[in-house]
Amino acid sequence: MTSMLDKPVTVQETARQQIQDTLQTNKIPAEYGLRVGVRGGGCGASWLLGFDLPGPTDEVYNVEGVRIIIDRKHLLYVLGAEIGYEPGGFTVEKGASASQ
């Protein structure tokens, strides 16, 4: 059984394909991963997504074949988020399934 800390976010199939295509097309080295976090705070908080290298305060996860990087300070905020993709860019939703 996989715990939420083993797989803190989920990645939809369309997003996984887009992430892998972007990494390949832009020849981004394998050490990079998709950083998931939050920017700002309170009501003005927004999602932070981008390709990055892990740092000393980061946790690195393999979620559906995607290398996910989350700063430990952001972990509680992103727990249970689902990363998707639609024309125009990536989406992040935090659903009710996060409170298991």
Side-chain angles (χ1 to χ4, degrees), residues 12 20 31 42-43 47-48 54 56 58 64 82 88 92 99:
Q12 292 177 355
Q20 290 174 337
E31 299 82 35
C43 295
W47 291 102
L48 172 68
D58 294 326
E64 281 106 33
E82 181 176 56
V92 181
S99 59

PDB file of all heavy atoms in Angstrom, residues 12 20 31 42-43 47-48 54 56 58 64 82 88 92 99:
ATOM      1  N   GLN A  12      -1.845  13.338 -13.671  1.00  0.00           N
ATOM      2  CA  GLN A  12      -2.724  12.764 -14.686  1.00  0.00           C
ATOM      3  C   GLN A  12      -1.892  12.325 -15.884  1.00  0.00           C
ATOM      4  O   GLN A  12      -0.809  12.864 -16.146  1.00  0.00           O
ATOM      5  CB  GLN A  12      -3.760  13.785 -15.143  1.00  0.00           C
ATOM      6  CG  GLN A  12      -4.772  14.158 -14.102  1.00  0.00           C
ATOM      7  CD  GLN A  12      -5.725  15.228 -14.601  1.00  0.00           C
ATOM      8  OE1 GLN A  12      -5.590  15.766 -15.699  1.00  0.00           O
ATOM      9  NE2 GLN A  12      -6.704  15.554 -13.765  1.00  0.00           N
ATOM     10  N   GLN A  20       7.082  14.673 -19.856  1.00  0.00           N
ATOM     11  CA  GLN A  20       8.138  13.888 -20.502  1.00  0.00           C
ATOM     12  C   GLN A  20       8.502  14.454 -21.868  1.00  0.00           C
ATOM     13  O   GLN A  20       9.670  14.521 -22.230  1.00  0.00           O
ATOM     14  CB  GLN A  20       7.721  12.422 -20.586  1.00  0.00           C
ATOM     15  CG  GLN A  20       7.710  11.777 -19.214  1.00  0.00           C
ATOM     16  CD  GLN A  20       7.170  10.353 -19.216  1.00  0.00           C
ATOM     17  OE1 GLN A  20       6.426   9.955 -20.115  1.00  0.00           O
ATOM     18  NE2 GLN A  20       7.532   9.592 -18.203  1.00  0.00           N
ATOM     19  N   GLU A  31      18.683  15.030 -14.113  1.00  0.00           N
ATOM     20  CA  GLU A  31      18.757  15.452 -12.711  1.00  0.00           C
ATOM     21  C   GLU A  31      17.626  16.417 -12.358  1.00  0.00           C
ATOM     22  O   GLU A  31      17.309  16.628 -11.195  1.00  0.00           O
ATOM     23  CB  GLU A  31      20.093  16.157 -12.409  1.00  0.00           C
ATOM     24  CG  GLU A  31      21.315  15.306 -12.618  1.00  0.00           C
ATOM     25  CD  GLU A  31      21.753  15.257 -14.091  1.00  0.00           C
ATOM     26  OE1 GLU A  31      21.607  16.262 -14.812  1.00  0.00           O
ATOM     27  OE2 GLU A  31      22.221  14.190 -14.517  1.00  0.00           O
ATOM     28  N   GLY A  42      -1.717  32.875   2.445  1.00  0.00           N
ATOM     29  CA  GLY A  42      -3.097  33.286   2.705  1.00  0.00           C
ATOM     30  C   GLY A  42      -3.944  33.185   1.462  1.00  0.00           C
ATOM     31  O   GLY A  42      -3.799  32.278   0.659  1.00  0.00           O
ATOM     32  N   CYS A  43      -4.833  34.143   1.269  1.00  0.00           N
ATOM     33  CA  CYS A  43      -5.751  34.143   0.125  1.00  0.00           C
ATOM     34  C   CYS A  43      -5.030  34.398  -1.189  1.00  0.00           C
ATOM     35  O   CYS A  43      -5.528  34.074  -2.251  1.00  0.00           O
ATOM     36  CB  CYS A  43      -6.838  35.190   0.318  1.00  0.00           C
ATOM     37  SG  CYS A  43      -7.888  34.813   1.722  1.00  0.00           S
ATOM     38  N   TRP A  47      -0.081  28.446  -7.107  1.00  0.00           N
ATOM     39  CA  TRP A  47       0.739  27.255  -7.329  1.00  0.00           C
ATOM     40  C   TRP A  47       2.012  27.617  -8.057  1.00  0.00           C
ATOM     41  O   TRP A  47       2.036  28.502  -8.904  1.00  0.00           O
ATOM     42  CB  TRP A  47      -0.048  26.222  -8.136  1.00  0.00           C
ATOM     43  CG  TRP A  47      -1.159  25.637  -7.351  1.00  0.00           C
ATOM     44  CD1 TRP A  47      -2.486  25.958  -7.445  1.00  0.00           C
ATOM     45  CD2 TRP A  47      -1.070  24.651  -6.329  1.00  0.00           C
ATOM     46  NE1 TRP A  47      -3.202  25.227  -6.542  1.00  0.00           N
ATOM     47  CE2 TRP A  47      -2.361  24.408  -5.842  1.00  0.00           C
ATOM     48  CE3 TRP A  47      -0.004  23.949  -5.773  1.00  0.00           C
ATOM     49  CZ2 TRP A  47      -2.623  23.494  -4.834  1.00  0.00           C
ATOM     50  CZ3 TRP A  47      -0.263  23.035  -4.766  1.00  0.00           C
ATOM     51  CH2 TRP A  47      -1.558  22.809  -4.311  1.00  0.00           C
ATOM     52  N   LEU A  48       3.055  26.901  -7.728  1.00  0.00           N
ATOM     53  CA  LEU A  48       4.360  27.067  -8.342  1.00  0.00           C
ATOM     54  C   LEU A  48       4.711  25.746  -9.020  1.00  0.00           C
ATOM     55  O   LEU A  48       4.779  24.702  -8.369  1.00  0.00           O
ATOM     56  CB  LEU A  48       5.388  27.401  -7.254  1.00  0.00           C
ATOM     57  CG  LEU A  48       6.852  27.426  -7.641  1.00  0.00           C
ATOM     58  CD1 LEU A  48       7.115  28.604  -8.579  1.00  0.00           C
ATOM     59  CD2 LEU A  48       7.718  27.546  -6.406  1.00  0.00           C
ATOM     60  N   PRO A  54      16.872  19.645  -7.572  1.00  0.00           N
ATOM     61  CA  PRO A  54      16.595  19.583  -6.135  1.00  0.00           C
ATOM     62  C   PRO A  54      17.693  20.275  -5.328  1.00  0.00           C
ATOM     63  O   PRO A  54      18.862  20.252  -5.707  1.00  0.00           O
ATOM     64  CB  PRO A  54      16.545  18.086  -5.832  1.00  0.00           C
ATOM     65  CG  PRO A  54      17.196  17.417  -6.986  1.00  0.00           C
ATOM     66  CD  PRO A  54      17.147  18.346  -8.147  1.00  0.00           C
ATOM     67  N   PRO A  56      18.996  21.369  -1.026  1.00  0.00           N
ATOM     68  CA  PRO A  56      19.168  20.697   0.267  1.00  0.00           C
ATOM     69  C   PRO A  56      17.894  20.610   1.116  1.00  0.00           C
ATOM     70  O   PRO A  56      17.808  19.758   1.984  1.00  0.00           O
ATOM     71  CB  PRO A  56      20.235  21.536   0.968  1.00  0.00           C
ATOM     72  CG  PRO A  56      20.245  22.841   0.262  1.00  0.00           C
ATOM     73  CD  PRO A  56      19.787  22.586  -1.141  1.00  0.00           C
ATOM     74  N   ASP A  58      14.845  20.020  -0.183  1.00  0.00           N
ATOM     75  CA  ASP A  58      13.825  19.388  -1.012  1.00  0.00           C
ATOM     76  C   ASP A  58      13.702  17.887  -0.756  1.00  0.00           C
ATOM     77  O   ASP A  58      14.671  17.233  -0.392  1.00  0.00           O
ATOM     78  CB  ASP A  58      14.146  19.580  -2.504  1.00  0.00           C
ATOM     79  CG  ASP A  58      14.054  21.020  -2.933  1.00  0.00           C
ATOM     80  OD1 ASP A  58      13.204  21.748  -2.398  1.00  0.00           O
ATOM     81  OD2 ASP A  58      14.830  21.425  -3.815  1.00  0.00           O
ATOM     82  N   GLU A  64       4.387   8.255 -10.854  1.00  0.00           N
ATOM     83  CA  GLU A  64       3.995   7.814 -12.196  1.00  0.00           C
ATOM     84  C   GLU A  64       5.101   8.072 -13.222  1.00  0.00           C
ATOM     85  O   GLU A  64       4.839   8.505 -14.335  1.00  0.00           O
ATOM     86  CB  GLU A  64       2.691   8.487 -12.638  1.00  0.00           C
ATOM     87  CG  GLU A  64       1.446   7.863 -12.032  1.00  0.00           C
ATOM     88  CD  GLU A  64       0.859   8.770 -10.947  1.00  0.00           C
ATOM     89  OE1 GLU A  64       0.954  10.008 -11.067  1.00  0.00           O
ATOM     90  OE2 GLU A  64       0.320   8.235  -9.965  1.00  0.00           O
ATOM     91  N   GLU A  82      -3.434  17.372  -7.456  1.00  0.00           N
ATOM     92  CA  GLU A  82      -3.419  16.608  -8.704  1.00  0.00           C
ATOM     93  C   GLU A  82      -2.967  17.529  -9.831  1.00  0.00           C
ATOM     94  O   GLU A  82      -3.540  18.597 -10.037  1.00  0.00           O
ATOM     95  CB  GLU A  82      -4.814  16.061  -9.016  1.00  0.00           C
ATOM     96  CG  GLU A  82      -4.844  15.247 -10.285  1.00  0.00           C
ATOM     97  CD  GLU A  82      -6.208  14.632 -10.547  1.00  0.00           C
ATOM     98  OE1 GLU A  82      -7.193  15.389 -10.601  1.00  0.00           O
ATOM     99  OE2 GLU A  82      -6.264  13.404 -10.683  1.00  0.00           O
ATOM    100  N   GLY A  88      -3.057  25.157 -23.189  1.00  0.00           N
ATOM    101  CA  GLY A  88      -2.748  26.403 -22.506  1.00  0.00           C
ATOM    102  C   GLY A  88      -1.830  26.210 -21.315  1.00  0.00           C
ATOM    103  O   GLY A  88      -1.235  27.151 -20.826  1.00  0.00           O
ATOM    104  N   VAL A  92      -3.345  22.591 -11.539  1.00  0.00           N
ATOM    105  CA  VAL A  92      -3.172  21.942 -10.248  1.00  0.00           C
ATOM    106  C   VAL A  92      -4.484  22.097  -9.499  1.00  0.00           C
ATOM    107  O   VAL A  92      -5.026  23.185  -9.384  1.00  0.00           O
ATOM    108  CB  VAL A  92      -2.038  22.574  -9.413  1.00  0.00           C
ATOM    109  CG1 VAL A  92      -1.886  21.844  -8.084  1.00  0.00           C
ATOM    110  CG2 VAL A  92      -0.736  22.556 -10.167  1.00  0.00           C
ATOM    111  N   SER A  99      -7.812  14.567   2.194  1.00  0.00           N
ATOM    112  CA  SER A  99      -8.028  14.438   3.644  1.00  0.00           C
ATOM    113  C   SER A  99      -8.306  13.001   4.037  1.00  0.00           C
ATOM    114  O   SER A  99      -9.268  12.711   4.700  1.00  0.00           O
ATOM    115  CB  SER A  99      -9.190  15.346   4.056  1.00  0.00           C
ATOM    116  OG  SER A  99     -10.370  14.976   3.353  1.00  0.00           O
TER     117      SER A  99
END
